[in-house]
Amino acid sequence: MEVKISANELEALFDALPDVVFFVKDTAGRYTHANLTLVRRLGLKRREDVIGRSVTELFPATMGGSYASQDRRVLDGEVIENQLEVHIFANRAPGWCLTCKRPLQQDGDVRGVVGISRDLGQPDGRHPTYLRLRRVLAYMQEHYAQSIRVATLAGLAELSVAQLERHFRRVFQLTPQQVLTKLRIEAAMRMLQGDDSVAAIGLACGFADQSSFARQFKATVGMSPRDYRNMTAAS
């Protein structure tokens, strides 16, 4: 017998997970369900303050527009799996997470978007390859501004490329490329609080040019480097 779980029941279950944001949106991008973790991270007190509103109403304009664009891709049928993102919460504190979104289908039609964003947890220090992967991470932390080949990282860990990627997912919950992106974006976020130009920061953080830097920064942070600089300067 097929058992179906309603969004209301899922919402109640996800209320118990403080490190996971759960949401459902309709085709207009308005929240129909949101767990309490999302409510609190928006700086709100009641679920009713979220339901019926869109991301462009609840998030800063640049971030809301980016999230809305992502939702439209999902409504067109795209599935987003483990998208590494920085979420900027109401207190301006950044938090790294992995976001998954899927089209919500009913009777063959897309009726909305269902998704979760899971906080990036601590590395699994008990994994047998942890110490070897720490060597790789240290190398990446020192050389993130340079071009890094996955084969080089695998050699440092004395693993094949496939083994390295599998163990990175187990220990860090990320692929080596996602870890490299995280290091570069974190460095860029720090540098954007200074006076260097956006182009210079992109090059200093390992991006080929300003265009690729801006594209990756917006995909990860939800706003352009310039908008992020303005936001932090105003806070």
Side-chain angles (χ1 to χ4, degrees):
M1 181 180 68
E2 183 180 2
V3 177
K4 294 185 178 181
I5 301 177
S6 72
N8 289 335
E9 291 168 318
L10 286 174
E11 183 181 65
L13 287 172
F14 278 105
D15 277 346
L17 299 178
D19 61 341
V20 177
V21 163
F22 166 79
F23 54 85
V24 180
K25 302 171 189 173
D26 62 20
T27 54
R30 296 173 299 225
Y31 286 97
T32 62
H33 297 79
N35 73 335
L36 293 177
T37 301
L38 175 57
V39 174
R40 293 178 184 128
R41 291 188 180 182
L42 286 168
L44 302 173
K45 295 182 178 180
R46 303 177 308 145
R47 206 187 314 268
E48 293 75 17
D49 296 328
V50 175
I51 303 305
R53 300 172 72 185
S54 68
V55 289
T56 53
E57 296 175 272
L58 293 168
F59 290 89
T62 51
M63 294 177 67
S66 179
Y67 297 155
S69 176
Q70 191 182 67
D71 288 343
R72 286 193 293 271
R73 284 161 42 206
V74 177
L75 288 169
D76 286 338
E78 182 177 341
V79 174
I80 294 173
E81 294 281 8
N82 291 322
Q83 170 75 42
L84 179 65
E85 295 179 334
V86 177
H87 284 182
I88 310 294
F89 302 116
N91 62 358
R92 293 293 189 263
W96 286 94
C97 64
L98 290 169
T99 296
C100 300
K101 292 183 179 180
R102 291 179 172 273
L104 186 62
Q105 297 191 345
Q106 185 177 20
D107 299 327
D109 295 323
V110 175
R111 302 288 186 176
V113 174
V114 59
I116 61 169
S117 288
R118 175 172 55 85
D119 291 353
L120 201 59
Q122 294 299 310
D124 180 4
R126 296 172 297 177
H127 194 274
T129 63
Y130 176 72
L131 292 180
R132 282 192 276 175
L133 297 186
R134 281 291 307 174
R135 290 203 307 266
V136 174
L137 180 60
Y139 178 88
M140 296 172 77
Q141 289 170 329
E142 187 174 349
H143 297 91
Y144 66 82
Q146 304 168 17
S147 177
I148 297 178
R149 297 174 62 246
V150 177
T152 301
L153 302 179
L156 287 171
E158 300 176 355
L159 297 168
S160 70
V161 169
Q163 288 173 326
L164 178 76
E165 293 185 341
R166 183 168 67 252
H167 293 319
F168 249 72
R169 281 189 179 276
R170 287 290 300 276
V171 173
F172 299 114
Q173 303 134 63
L174 302 172
T175 66
Q177 185 57 51
Q178 285 177 317
V179 171
L180 182 58
T181 296
K182 181 174 180 289
L183 291 171
R184 288 174 170 172
I185 295 297
E186 284 176 335
M189 291 169 74
R190 291 192 300 269
M191 294 179 70
L192 284 165
Q193 297 180 48
D195 298 325
D196 290 341
S197 70
V198 171
I201 290 171
L203 291 175
C205 294
F207 294 94
D209 51 48
Q210 185 173 348
S211 177
S212 61
F213 170 46
R215 185 167 55 252
Q216 183 65 71
F217 194 93
K218 185 169 184 179
T220 307
V221 185
M223 65 183 78
S224 71
R226 200 171 305 280
D227 285 334
Y228 179 80
R229 167 172 275 170
N230 293 338
M231 184 193 75
T232 55
S235 61

